[in-house]
Amino acid sequence: MELHERRLAQIVRDFMEAYVLATRIQQGLQQGDLRFSLIERLVGDRGDSALYRLKEESHALFRLDQDRSETDIQAEQLFDLAVGALFHESMKFREGFYLTTSYGPRLERMMAEGSASGSLAEAFRRTIDAGSKRMLESSTEVGELFPETRDQLLTVLGNLPESGAVARGLVEDPARTEAVFMMPLDHMLEQVYGSAQHGYQLAIENTLANGHFAEAEVLLQRDSLRGSEFVETAAPFAQGMARYYTGDVPGAMHALDRWVDRGAPGMPGWRHLAGRVLNAISTNVDDELDASVREAAGRLGERLPTKNHPPDRS
């Protein structure tokens, strides 16, 4: 399940990156200042292009037999087919653009100089003209297919089990998410997870579980979570862990003390992580660390309850 979630989250990230790149490419084409290097970032036959990664991850995840309803599987297969079509149409655009912008000017220059003429030059010109036409046709196809594929991805996310990894991918860059899905982030989280707060909670729990405490601390300050009981639960834990790993031991102790005073609530595993940190502080033989701090860490570790409170899902 963890691998499945990671793959799905990567699909969401790669799709959003590809969507943003495709939008920039369309704008560059219209304005006449499009560079081939931007197209290479979108599509190519290597893993450093967004659509290649998206195609490979989608095939790996959605072409496997899965024990879910036929409706869910069909939605995923349709998305996978659309991704494949996006990749191939974008490759046609890439080839047409390169042919038109690289070979076309050279041929025109040679014909103007008189160094290229006759049937071969005319045949080459027809090839370039045909490539330019295919490029424009593919550009139109890609421009129409991307929004439809985006909507299908939204359907897929709504049908799949809740994923903290996916939620994290959606909330980490609100501007990008809103630009791609054409709606406020809170509305999208509500559509996928039932409420914006629940979506943020899933994202933050995943962030904390992966040891990104400073990132979680920032997410906990989002306006959408203002007044949430989850913030009161998670913020002191995230702050304490973040402070410890940046070398601020007194700050870590202060935050973790507030968390323990509340009963050390939260996800399974939080107490284990906090216990390891407090033990590391209490057994630290560094002369720069005051003995009273070590003793306080030991006492705080002894106050950790033996069982976790279940996370608040309100």
Side-chain angles (χ1 to χ4, degrees):
M1 177 59 72
E2 184 179 352
L3 177 59
H4 183 279
E5 283 198 36
R6 288 203 307 269
R7 277 182 165 169
L8 183 57
Q10 191 58 49
I11 284 172
V12 172
R13 287 187 175 94
D14 285 338
F15 179 83
M16 289 195 290
E17 180 184 347
Y19 192 100
V20 171
L21 286 170
T23 301
R24 291 177 57 191
I25 287 170
Q26 292 279 357
Q27 293 170 347
L29 185 64
Q30 293 170 3
Q31 295 167 4
D33 60 357
L34 177 59
R35 294 183 178 275
F36 188 70
S37 58
L38 185 62
I39 301 174
E40 287 183 302
R41 290 174 56 190
L42 173 67
V43 65
D45 54 6
R46 298 184 302 176
D48 54 357
S49 71
L51 273 179
Y52 181 87
R53 296 194 307 269
L54 177 62
K55 173 180 68 74
E56 292 298 300
E57 287 290 348
S58 179
H59 290 352
L61 187 61
F62 294 140
R63 292 192 179 184
L64 298 175
D65 291 332
Q66 301 181 46
D67 186 21
R68 295 197 309 283
S69 73
E70 185 65 23
T71 300
D72 292 352
I73 293 175
Q74 288 175 348
E76 294 163 9
Q77 290 175 342
L78 181 56
F79 173 78
D80 180 57
L81 289 172
V83 166
L86 275 172
F87 176 81
H88 290 293
E89 282 296 331
S90 296
M91 282 293 287
K92 287 164 61 177
F93 173 81
R94 169 190 165 119
E95 293 165 359
F97 181 85
Y98 187 82
L99 179 67
T100 302
T101 60
S102 179
Y103 292 121
R106 292 167 61 187
L107 176 63
E108 293 296 332
R109 185 174 63 252
M110 292 174 67
M111 293 181 72
E113 294 170 349
S115 57
S117 60
S119 59
L120 177 58
E122 291 300 328
F124 193 15
R125 171 178 275 175
R126 289 195 298 272
T127 298
I128 292 173
D129 290 342
S132 178
K133 182 180 178 181
R134 287 196 303 271
M135 175 190 72
L136 295 175
E137 290 173 347
S138 293
S139 174
T140 299
E141 291 293 331
V142 169
E144 293 176 353
L145 188 54
F146 250 116
E148 298 293 338
T149 309
R150 172 201 62 201
D151 294 345
Q152 186 64 22
L153 176 58
L154 199 55
T155 298
V156 169
L157 294 180
N159 290 342
L160 288 171
E162 293 179 345
S163 167
V166 172
R168 180 182 170 193
L170 294 173
V171 306
E172 64 190 5
D173 188 345
R176 180 183 65 179
T177 301
E178 292 178 350
V180 171
F181 290 96
M182 303 293 289
M183 68 178 78
L185 176 57
D186 283 8
H187 290 181
M188 183 182 179
L189 294 176
E190 182 177 354
Q191 185 171 337
V192 177
Y193 300 110
S195 73
Q197 285 196 359
H198 185 49
Y200 268 109
Q201 181 168 340
L202 288 168
I204 292 166
E205 288 171 351
N206 178 269
T207 305
L208 289 169
N210 284 279
H212 299 285
F213 305 112
E215 180 183 337
E217 187 179 0
V218 172
L219 289 175
L220 284 160
Q221 298 171 19
R222 294 277 176 88
D223 289 341
S224 301
L225 287 171
R226 195 178 302 277
S228 167
E229 175 64 25
F230 177 68
V231 173
E232 299 299 319
T233 296
F237 170 75
Q239 291 167 3
M241 299 297 286
R243 299 296 183 276
Y244 173 74
Y245 284 108
T246 56
D248 180 8
V249 173
M253 292 284 295
H254 178 71
L256 290 175
D257 185 68
R258 288 189 290 114
W259 179 62
V260 172
D261 278 346
R262 292 180 57 84
M267 294 295 293
W270 289 12
R271 292 183 184 177
H272 174 70
L273 291 172
R276 287 175 56 186
V277 164
L278 293 171
N279 181 67
I281 296 172
S282 66
T283 58
N284 192 330
V285 295
D286 189 338
D287 291 338
E288 295 183 1
L289 189 63
D290 192 278
S292 62
V293 175
R294 294 197 294 268
E295 293 170 2
R299 292 193 298 269
L300 187 57
E302 293 172 357
R303 289 169 51 201
L304 277 174
T306 56
K307 294 182 179 179
N308 276 303
H309 292 297
D312 178 24
R313 295 289 188 183
S314 60

